[in-house]
């Protein structure tokens, strides 16, 4: 549980346009969630997320993955930035790098990812295209804690969206993304309020997330 | 496309309590769908589905799988019963037997199954327990044409249901089943109206189902 008056310091990692970052910034600004974005880290210089952070008056740091010899060295540099800004919870918001144990052990069960499918369906890249190729009629998005696997970490929340006969990859992507923009800030609000607890895996099972009721 | 005034003859295969059969019977009786249940086949003598069929005045046939030396021989006996009753479309409604090519080739892309998850998540047995063990927050049901794989056939329709923190296997099963009772008759109505077409698989892809708009 977190102290009742604390504001959760988020570090947002992004590689792209940063629309999920924008949704998080909106929720922190409006006071919908008791959190603030302490720093935004991008691995590519032209990520629009960097501009969005600067416009919002949030420290925006470029850590180019090309400057590091290994994923672990890159992650160590990212961890250093996150720690320097007092980050308590890391959000992967369209971050197109596989994170290593260097990041995960620095923020155990405090790295949150949003994935554009209802896991365990359609893990990995191009989840929307996978759903269309499969002929799924329902897809959605998943917010989960990151573990060492690919999209295998304990699930915090999921929301469904319909897949329409007229959909192509961009239309399905947009529908799922709109749902991500609602779900991700909502989950971060739960974490900020100390309502999210993880029960460790037992006898071969999965770690489970328990979200307690709002006080 | 089917003739505009035809009534689709259904053969329903069931092993258990037959609540999906009841939902189908209700939809045929009320005229919601242009179909009739021509025969109900069960593989176990004490299946409540047999009683429901008799009460509805529908031929109820027991074909005990114990009386046959192989799955193929059992399926051949079932096909004989279905053909004798003029069945055009076969519905697996809680039918706890794996069907073989004997049944599938007799009714190509006219064997419909309902599965209690959003496929491809949680295929096979105990889908509700699988969803709970995984920590899924959304599950649902899938109506699909049966092919030679295990829950791999082309999807006709899916509906999501929430998985609640308070759920156990019976409560989740009941919530999904209630959705099955809506979705399965609706899909059979589409088939009866000639609105469901299957596009064969091409270059390694999956066969796809196209549901045309209501006239």
């Amino acid at each position: 549980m977190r102290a009742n008056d604390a504001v959760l310091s988020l570090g947002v990692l992004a590689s792209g346009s940063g629309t999920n970052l924008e949704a998080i910034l909106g929720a922190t600004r409006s006071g919908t969630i008791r959190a603030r974005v302490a720093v935004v880290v991008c691995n590519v210089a032209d990520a629009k997320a960097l501009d969005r952070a600067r416009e919002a008056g949030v420290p925006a740091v470029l850590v180019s993955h090309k400057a590091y010899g290994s994923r672990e060295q890159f992650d160590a540099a990212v961890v250093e930035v996150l720690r320097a800004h007092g980050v308590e919870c890391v959000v992967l918001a369209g971050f197109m790098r596989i994170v290593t144990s260097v990041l995960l052990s620095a923020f155990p069960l405090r790295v949150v990812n949003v994935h554009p499918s209802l896991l365990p369906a359609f893990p990995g890249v191009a989840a929307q295209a996978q759903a269309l190729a499969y002929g799924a009629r329902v897809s959605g998005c998943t917010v989960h804690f990151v573990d060492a696997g690919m999209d295998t970490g304990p699930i915090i929340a999921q929301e469904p969206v319909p897949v329409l006969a007229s959909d192509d990859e961009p239309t399905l992507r947009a529908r799922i993304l709109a749902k991500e923009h609602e779900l991700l800030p909502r989950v971060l609000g739960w974490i900020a309020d100390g309502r999210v607890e993880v029960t460790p895996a037992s006898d071969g099972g999965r770690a489970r997330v328990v979200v307690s009721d709002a006080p």
Side-chain angles (χ1 to χ4, degrees), chain A residues 1-3 6-10 33-35 88-91 108-113 143-146 154-157 183-198 209-212:
Chain A
M1 283 292 182
R2 293 166 41 77
V7 171
L8 183 71
S9 287
L10 302 172
I33 66 176
R34 293 191 305 127
E88 299 166 278
C89 177
V90 180
V91 186
L109 289 175
R110 279 298 177 264
V111 180
V112 174
N113 185 43
V143 178
H144 65 96
F145 288 121
V146 179
I155 291 175
I156 313 171
L183 191 62
L184 182 56
R186 194 187 314 154
V187 166
L188 296 175
W190 296 344
I191 294 173
D193 290 343
R195 293 173 51 199
V196 177
E197 288 187 55
V198 179
V209 173
V210 177
V211 180
S212 51

CSV table of all heavy atoms in Angstrom, one decimal, chain A residues 1-3 6-10 33-35 88-91 108-113 143-146 154-157 183-198 209-212:
chain,number,residue,atom,x,y,z
A,1,MET,N,0.8,-1.2,0.0
A,1,MET,CA,0.0,0.0,0.0
A,1,MET,C,0.9,1.3,0.0
A,1,MET,O,1.9,1.3,0.6
A,1,MET,CB,-0.9,0.0,1.2
A,1,MET,CG,-2.1,-0.9,1.1
A,1,MET,SD,-3.3,-0.4,-0.1
A,1,MET,CE,-4.5,-1.6,0.1
A,2,ARG,N,0.4,2.3,-0.7
A,2,ARG,CA,1.2,3.5,-0.7
A,2,ARG,C,0.5,4.5,0.3
A,2,ARG,O,-0.6,4.4,0.6
A,2,ARG,CB,1.1,4.1,-2.1
A,2,ARG,CG,1.9,3.3,-3.1
A,2,ARG,CD,1.5,3.7,-4.6
A,2,ARG,NE,1.5,5.1,-4.7
A,2,ARG,CZ,2.5,5.9,-4.7
A,2,ARG,NH1,3.7,5.5,-4.7
A,2,ARG,NH2,2.3,7.2,-4.9
A,3,ALA,N,1.4,5.5,0.7
A,3,ALA,CA,0.8,6.5,1.6
A,3,ALA,C,-0.3,7.3,0.9
A,3,ALA,O,-0.3,7.4,-0.4
A,3,ALA,CB,2.0,7.5,1.9
A,6,ALA,N,0.6,10.4,-1.3
A,6,ALA,CA,1.7,10.4,-2.2
A,6,ALA,C,1.3,10.5,-3.7
A,6,ALA,O,0.2,10.1,-4.0
A,6,ALA,CB,2.5,9.1,-2.0
A,7,VAL,N,2.1,11.1,-4.5
A,7,VAL,CA,1.9,11.1,-5.9
A,7,VAL,C,2.9,10.2,-6.6
A,7,VAL,O,4.1,10.4,-6.4
A,7,VAL,CB,2.0,12.6,-6.5
A,7,VAL,CG1,2.0,12.6,-8.0
A,7,VAL,CG2,0.9,13.5,-5.9
A,8,LEU,N,2.5,9.3,-7.4
A,8,LEU,CA,3.3,8.3,-8.0
A,8,LEU,C,4.1,8.9,-9.1
A,8,LEU,O,3.6,9.5,-10.0
A,8,LEU,CB,2.5,7.1,-8.5
A,8,LEU,CG,3.2,5.9,-9.1
A,8,LEU,CD1,3.9,5.1,-8.0
A,8,LEU,CD2,2.2,5.0,-9.9
A,9,SER,N,5.5,8.7,-9.0
A,9,SER,CA,6.3,9.2,-10.1
A,9,SER,C,6.5,8.1,-11.2
A,9,SER,O,7.0,7.1,-11.0
A,9,SER,CB,7.7,9.5,-9.5
A,9,SER,OG,7.6,10.7,-8.7
A,10,LEU,N,6.0,8.5,-12.4
A,10,LEU,CA,6.1,7.6,-13.5
A,10,LEU,C,7.3,7.9,-14.4
A,10,LEU,O,7.6,9.1,-14.7
A,10,LEU,CB,4.8,7.7,-14.4
A,10,LEU,CG,3.5,7.5,-13.6
A,10,LEU,CD1,2.3,7.8,-14.6
A,10,LEU,CD2,3.4,6.0,-13.2
A,33,ILE,N,-5.8,10.9,-12.0
A,33,ILE,CA,-4.9,9.9,-11.3
A,33,ILE,C,-3.9,10.7,-10.5
A,33,ILE,O,-3.4,11.8,-10.8
A,33,ILE,CB,-4.3,8.9,-12.3
A,33,ILE,CG1,-3.2,9.6,-13.2
A,33,ILE,CG2,-5.3,8.2,-13.1
A,33,ILE,CD1,-2.5,8.7,-14.1
A,34,ARG,N,-3.5,10.1,-9.3
A,34,ARG,CA,-2.6,10.7,-8.4
A,34,ARG,C,-1.1,10.3,-8.8
A,34,ARG,O,-0.5,9.6,-8.1
A,34,ARG,CB,-2.9,10.4,-7.0
A,34,ARG,CG,-4.2,11.0,-6.6
A,34,ARG,CD,-4.5,10.9,-5.1
A,34,ARG,NE,-4.4,9.5,-4.6
A,34,ARG,CZ,-3.7,9.1,-3.6
A,34,ARG,NH1,-2.9,9.9,-3.0
A,34,ARG,NH2,-3.7,7.8,-3.3
A,35,ALA,N,-0.8,10.7,-10.0
A,35,ALA,CA,0.6,10.4,-10.5
A,35,ALA,C,1.1,11.6,-11.3
A,35,ALA,O,0.3,12.5,-11.7
A,35,ALA,CB,0.4,9.1,-11.4
A,88,GLU,N,9.2,5.7,-9.8
A,88,GLU,CA,8.8,4.5,-9.0
A,88,GLU,C,8.1,3.4,-9.8
A,88,GLU,O,8.1,2.3,-9.5
A,88,GLU,CB,7.7,5.0,-7.9
A,88,GLU,CG,8.3,6.0,-6.9
A,88,GLU,CD,7.1,6.7,-6.2
A,88,GLU,OE1,6.5,7.6,-6.7
A,88,GLU,OE2,6.8,6.2,-5.1
A,89,CYS,N,7.6,3.8,-11.0
A,89,CYS,CA,6.8,2.9,-11.8
A,89,CYS,C,7.1,3.2,-13.3
A,89,CYS,O,7.1,4.4,-13.7
A,89,CYS,CB,5.3,3.0,-11.5
A,89,CYS,SG,4.3,2.0,-12.6
A,90,VAL,N,7.5,2.2,-14.0
A,90,VAL,CA,7.9,2.4,-15.4
A,90,VAL,C,6.8,2.0,-16.4
A,90,VAL,O,6.2,0.9,-16.2
A,90,VAL,CB,9.2,1.6,-15.7
A,90,VAL,CG1,9.6,1.8,-17.2
A,90,VAL,CG2,10.3,2.0,-14.7
A,91,VAL,N,6.5,2.8,-17.3
A,91,VAL,CA,5.4,2.5,-18.3
A,91,VAL,C,6.0,2.4,-19.7
A,91,VAL,O,6.6,3.3,-20.2
A,91,VAL,CB,4.3,3.6,-18.3
A,91,VAL,CG1,3.2,3.2,-19.2
A,91,VAL,CG2,3.9,3.9,-16.9
A,108,PRO,N,11.2,-4.1,-9.8
A,108,PRO,CA,10.5,-5.4,-9.8
A,108,PRO,C,9.0,-5.3,-9.8
A,108,PRO,O,8.4,-4.6,-8.9
A,108,PRO,CB,11.0,-6.2,-8.6
A,108,PRO,CG,11.6,-5.1,-7.8
A,108,PRO,CD,12.0,-4.0,-8.7
A,109,LEU,N,8.3,-5.9,-10.7
A,109,LEU,CA,6.8,-5.8,-10.8
A,109,LEU,C,6.3,-4.4,-10.8
A,109,LEU,O,5.2,-4.1,-10.3
A,109,LEU,CB,6.1,-6.6,-9.7
A,109,LEU,CG,6.3,-8.2,-9.9
A,109,LEU,CD1,5.7,-8.9,-8.8
A,109,LEU,CD2,5.6,-8.6,-11.2
A,110,ARG,N,7.1,-3.5,-11.3
A,110,ARG,CA,6.8,-2.1,-11.5
A,110,ARG,C,7.1,-1.6,-12.9
A,110,ARG,O,7.3,-0.4,-13.1
A,110,ARG,CB,7.4,-1.2,-10.4
A,110,ARG,CG,6.7,-1.2,-9.0
A,110,ARG,CD,5.3,-0.7,-9.1
A,110,ARG,NE,4.5,-0.8,-7.9
A,110,ARG,CZ,3.7,-1.7,-7.6
A,110,ARG,NH1,3.6,-2.8,-8.4
A,110,ARG,NH2,3.0,-1.7,-6.5
A,111,VAL,N,7.1,-2.5,-13.8
A,111,VAL,CA,7.2,-2.1,-15.2
A,111,VAL,C,5.9,-2.6,-15.9
A,111,VAL,O,5.5,-3.8,-15.9
A,111,VAL,CB,8.4,-2.8,-15.9
A,111,VAL,CG1,8.5,-2.4,-17.4
A,111,VAL,CG2,9.7,-2.5,-15.2
A,112,VAL,N,5.2,-1.6,-16.4
A,112,VAL,CA,3.8,-1.9,-17.0
A,112,VAL,C,3.9,-1.7,-18.5
A,112,VAL,O,4.5,-0.8,-19.0
A,112,VAL,CB,2.8,-0.8,-16.4
A,112,VAL,CG1,1.5,-0.9,-17.0
A,112,VAL,CG2,2.7,-1.0,-14.9
A,113,ASN,N,3.3,-2.7,-19.1
A,113,ASN,CA,3.2,-2.6,-20.6
A,113,ASN,C,1.7,-2.6,-21.1
A,113,ASN,O,0.9,-3.2,-20.4
A,113,ASN,CB,3.9,-3.8,-21.2
A,113,ASN,CG,4.0,-3.8,-22.7
A,113,ASN,OD1,4.3,-2.7,-23.3
A,113,ASN,ND2,3.8,-4.9,-23.4
A,143,VAL,N,-3.3,-4.6,-20.3
A,143,VAL,CA,-2.2,-3.9,-19.5
A,143,VAL,C,-1.7,-4.9,-18.5
A,143,VAL,O,-2.5,-5.5,-17.8
A,143,VAL,CB,-2.8,-2.7,-18.8
A,143,VAL,CG1,-1.7,-2.0,-17.9
A,143,VAL,CG2,-3.3,-1.7,-19.8
A,144,HIS,N,-0.4,-5.1,-18.5
A,144,HIS,CA,0.2,-6.2,-17.7
A,144,HIS,C,1.6,-5.7,-17.1
A,144,HIS,O,2.2,-4.8,-17.7
A,144,HIS,CB,0.3,-7.5,-18.4
A,144,HIS,CG,1.3,-7.4,-19.6
A,144,HIS,ND1,2.6,-7.8,-19.5
A,144,HIS,CD2,1.1,-7.0,-20.9
A,144,HIS,CE1,3.2,-7.6,-20.7
A,144,HIS,NE2,2.3,-7.1,-21.5
A,145,PHE,N,1.9,-6.3,-16.0
A,145,PHE,CA,3.3,-6.2,-15.6
A,145,PHE,C,4.2,-7.0,-16.5
A,145,PHE,O,3.9,-8.1,-16.9
A,145,PHE,CB,3.4,-6.6,-14.1
A,145,PHE,CG,2.8,-5.7,-13.1
A,145,PHE,CD1,1.8,-6.1,-12.3
A,145,PHE,CD2,3.2,-4.4,-13.0
A,145,PHE,CE1,1.2,-5.3,-11.3
A,145,PHE,CE2,2.6,-3.5,-12.1
A,145,PHE,CZ,1.6,-4.0,-11.3
A,146,VAL,N,5.4,-6.5,-16.7
A,146,VAL,CA,6.4,-7.1,-17.6
A,146,VAL,C,7.2,-8.1,-16.8
A,146,VAL,O,7.7,-7.8,-15.7
A,146,VAL,CB,7.3,-6.1,-18.3
A,146,VAL,CG1,8.3,-6.8,-19.2
A,146,VAL,CG2,6.4,-5.1,-19.1
A,154,PRO,N,2.0,-10.9,-15.5
A,154,PRO,CA,0.7,-10.9,-14.9
A,154,PRO,C,-0.2,-9.8,-15.4
A,154,PRO,O,0.2,-8.6,-15.4
A,154,PRO,CB,1.0,-10.7,-13.4
A,154,PRO,CG,2.5,-10.8,-13.2
A,154,PRO,CD,3.1,-10.8,-14.5
A,155,ILE,N,-1.5,-10.2,-15.7
A,155,ILE,CA,-2.4,-9.3,-16.3
A,155,ILE,C,-3.1,-8.4,-15.2
A,155,ILE,O,-3.6,-8.9,-14.2
A,155,ILE,CB,-3.5,-10.0,-17.1
A,155,ILE,CG1,-2.8,-10.6,-18.4
A,155,ILE,CG2,-4.6,-9.1,-17.5
A,155,ILE,CD1,-3.7,-11.5,-19.2
A,156,ILE,N,-3.1,-7.1,-15.5
A,156,ILE,CA,-3.8,-6.2,-14.5
A,156,ILE,C,-5.2,-5.9,-15.1
A,156,ILE,O,-6.1,-5.8,-14.3
A,156,ILE,CB,-3.0,-4.9,-14.4
A,156,ILE,CG1,-1.5,-5.1,-14.1
A,156,ILE,CG2,-3.6,-4.0,-13.2
A,156,ILE,CD1,-0.6,-3.9,-14.2
A,157,ALA,N,-5.3,-5.6,-16.3
A,157,ALA,CA,-6.6,-5.3,-16.9
A,157,ALA,C,-6.7,-5.6,-18.4
A,157,ALA,O,-5.6,-5.5,-19.1
A,157,ALA,CB,-6.9,-3.8,-16.6
A,183,LEU,N,-7.7,2.7,-20.9
A,183,LEU,CA,-7.3,1.7,-19.9
A,183,LEU,C,-6.0,1.9,-19.2
A,183,LEU,O,-5.9,1.7,-18.0
A,183,LEU,CB,-7.3,0.3,-20.6
A,183,LEU,CG,-7.2,-0.9,-19.7
A,183,LEU,CD1,-8.4,-1.0,-18.8
A,183,LEU,CD2,-7.0,-2.2,-20.5
A,184,LEU,N,-5.0,2.4,-19.9
A,184,LEU,CA,-3.7,2.5,-19.3
A,184,LEU,C,-3.7,3.6,-18.2
A,184,LEU,O,-3.2,3.3,-17.1
A,184,LEU,CB,-2.7,2.9,-20.4
A,184,LEU,CG,-1.2,3.0,-20.0
A,184,LEU,CD1,-0.7,1.8,-19.2
A,184,LEU,CD2,-0.3,3.3,-21.2
A,185,PRO,N,-4.2,4.8,-18.4
A,185,PRO,CA,-4.3,5.7,-17.3
A,185,PRO,C,-5.1,5.2,-16.1
A,185,PRO,O,-4.7,5.5,-15.0
A,185,PRO,CB,-4.9,7.0,-17.9
A,185,PRO,CG,-4.7,6.9,-19.4
A,185,PRO,CD,-4.7,5.4,-19.7
A,186,ARG,N,-6.2,4.5,-16.4
A,186,ARG,CA,-7.0,4.0,-15.3
A,186,ARG,C,-6.2,3.0,-14.5
A,186,ARG,O,-6.2,3.1,-13.2
A,186,ARG,CB,-8.2,3.2,-15.9
A,186,ARG,CG,-9.3,2.9,-14.9
A,186,ARG,CD,-10.4,2.0,-15.5
A,186,ARG,NE,-10.9,2.5,-16.8
A,186,ARG,CZ,-11.4,1.7,-17.8
A,186,ARG,NH1,-11.6,0.4,-17.5
A,186,ARG,NH2,-11.7,2.2,-18.9
A,187,VAL,N,-5.4,2.1,-15.1
A,187,VAL,CA,-4.6,1.2,-14.4
A,187,VAL,C,-3.5,1.9,-13.6
A,187,VAL,O,-3.2,1.6,-12.4
A,187,VAL,CB,-3.9,0.2,-15.3
A,187,VAL,CG1,-2.8,-0.6,-14.6
A,187,VAL,CG2,-5.0,-0.8,-15.8
A,188,LEU,N,-2.9,2.9,-14.2
A,188,LEU,CA,-1.9,3.7,-13.4
A,188,LEU,C,-2.5,4.4,-12.2
A,188,LEU,O,-1.8,4.5,-11.2
A,188,LEU,CB,-1.2,4.7,-14.4
A,188,LEU,CG,-0.4,4.1,-15.5
A,188,LEU,CD1,0.1,5.1,-16.5
A,188,LEU,CD2,0.7,3.2,-15.0
A,189,GLY,N,-3.7,4.8,-12.3
A,189,GLY,CA,-4.4,5.4,-11.2
A,189,GLY,C,-4.6,4.4,-10.1
A,189,GLY,O,-4.4,4.7,-8.9
A,190,TRP,N,-4.9,3.1,-10.5
A,190,TRP,CA,-5.1,2.1,-9.5
A,190,TRP,C,-3.7,1.9,-8.7
A,190,TRP,O,-3.7,1.7,-7.5
A,190,TRP,CB,-5.5,0.7,-10.1
A,190,TRP,CG,-6.8,0.7,-10.8
A,190,TRP,CD1,-7.8,1.6,-10.6
A,190,TRP,CD2,-7.3,-0.3,-11.7
A,190,TRP,NE1,-8.9,1.2,-11.4
A,190,TRP,CE2,-8.6,0.1,-12.0
A,190,TRP,CE3,-6.7,-1.4,-12.2
A,190,TRP,CZ2,-9.3,-0.7,-13.0
A,190,TRP,CZ3,-7.5,-2.2,-13.1
A,190,TRP,CH2,-8.8,-1.8,-13.5
A,191,ILE,N,-2.6,1.8,-9.5
A,191,ILE,CA,-1.3,1.6,-8.9
A,191,ILE,C,-1.0,2.8,-8.0
A,191,ILE,O,-0.5,2.6,-6.9
A,191,ILE,CB,-0.2,1.4,-10.0
A,191,ILE,CG1,-0.5,0.1,-10.8
A,191,ILE,CG2,1.2,1.4,-9.4
A,191,ILE,CD1,0.4,-0.1,-12.1
A,192,ALA,N,-1.3,4.0,-8.5
A,192,ALA,CA,-1.0,5.2,-7.7
A,192,ALA,C,-1.7,5.1,-6.3
A,192,ALA,O,-1.2,5.6,-5.3
A,192,ALA,CB,-1.3,6.4,-8.4
A,193,ASP,N,-2.9,4.6,-6.4
A,193,ASP,CA,-3.7,4.5,-5.1
A,193,ASP,C,-3.4,3.3,-4.3
A,193,ASP,O,-4.1,3.0,-3.3
A,193,ASP,CB,-5.2,4.4,-5.5
A,193,ASP,CG,-5.7,5.8,-6.1
A,193,ASP,OD1,-5.0,6.8,-5.8
A,193,ASP,OD2,-6.8,5.8,-6.7
A,194,GLY,N,-2.4,2.5,-4.7
A,194,GLY,CA,-2.0,1.4,-3.9
A,194,GLY,C,-3.0,0.2,-3.9
A,194,GLY,O,-3.0,-0.6,-3.0
A,195,ARG,N,-3.7,0.2,-5.0
A,195,ARG,CA,-4.8,-0.9,-5.1
A,195,ARG,C,-4.4,-2.1,-5.8
A,195,ARG,O,-5.1,-3.1,-5.9
A,195,ARG,CB,-6.0,-0.3,-5.8
A,195,ARG,CG,-6.7,0.8,-4.9
A,195,ARG,CD,-7.8,1.5,-5.7
A,195,ARG,NE,-8.7,0.5,-6.3
A,195,ARG,CZ,-9.6,0.8,-7.3
A,195,ARG,NH1,-9.6,2.0,-7.8
A,195,ARG,NH2,-10.4,-0.1,-7.8
A,196,VAL,N,-3.1,-2.1,-6.4
A,196,VAL,CA,-2.7,-3.3,-7.2
A,196,VAL,C,-1.7,-4.1,-6.5
A,196,VAL,O,-0.6,-3.5,-6.1
A,196,VAL,CB,-2.2,-2.8,-8.6
A,196,VAL,CG1,-1.7,-4.0,-9.4
A,196,VAL,CG2,-3.3,-2.0,-9.3
A,197,GLU,N,-2.0,-5.3,-6.2
A,197,GLU,CA,-1.0,-6.2,-5.6
A,197,GLU,C,-0.8,-7.4,-6.4
A,197,GLU,O,-1.7,-7.9,-7.1
A,197,GLU,CB,-1.5,-6.6,-4.1
A,197,GLU,CG,-1.4,-5.4,-3.2
A,197,GLU,CD,-1.7,-5.8,-1.8
A,197,GLU,OE1,-1.0,-6.7,-1.2
A,197,GLU,OE2,-2.6,-5.2,-1.2
A,198,VAL,N,0.4,-8.0,-6.3
A,198,VAL,CA,0.8,-9.1,-7.1
A,198,VAL,C,1.0,-10.3,-6.1
A,198,VAL,O,1.7,-10.2,-5.2
A,198,VAL,CB,2.0,-8.9,-8.0
A,198,VAL,CG1,2.3,-10.2,-8.8
A,198,VAL,CG2,1.8,-7.8,-8.9
A,209,VAL,N,-2.6,-10.9,-10.3
A,209,VAL,CA,-2.8,-9.5,-9.9
A,209,VAL,C,-4.1,-9.4,-9.2
A,209,VAL,O,-5.1,-9.8,-9.7
A,209,VAL,CB,-2.7,-8.5,-11.0
A,209,VAL,CG1,-3.1,-7.1,-10.6
A,209,VAL,CG2,-1.3,-8.6,-11.7
A,210,VAL,N,-4.1,-8.8,-8.0
A,210,VAL,CA,-5.4,-8.5,-7.3
A,210,VAL,C,-5.5,-7.0,-7.3
A,210,VAL,O,-4.6,-6.3,-6.8
A,210,VAL,CB,-5.4,-9.1,-5.9
A,210,VAL,CG1,-6.6,-8.7,-5.2
A,210,VAL,CG2,-5.2,-10.6,-5.9
A,211,VAL,N,-6.7,-6.5,-7.8
A,211,VAL,CA,-7.0,-5.1,-7.7
A,211,VAL,C,-8.1,-4.9,-6.7
A,211,VAL,O,-9.2,-5.4,-6.8
A,211,VAL,CB,-7.5,-4.5,-9.1
A,211,VAL,CG1,-7.8,-3.1,-9.0
A,211,VAL,CG2,-6.4,-4.8,-10.2
A,212,SER,N,-7.7,-4.2,-5.6
A,212,SER,CA,-8.7,-4.1,-4.5
A,212,SER,C,-9.7,-2.9,-4.9
A,212,SER,O,-9.4,-2.1,-5.7
A,212,SER,CB,-8.0,-3.8,-3.2
A,212,SER,OG,-7.1,-2.7,-3.3
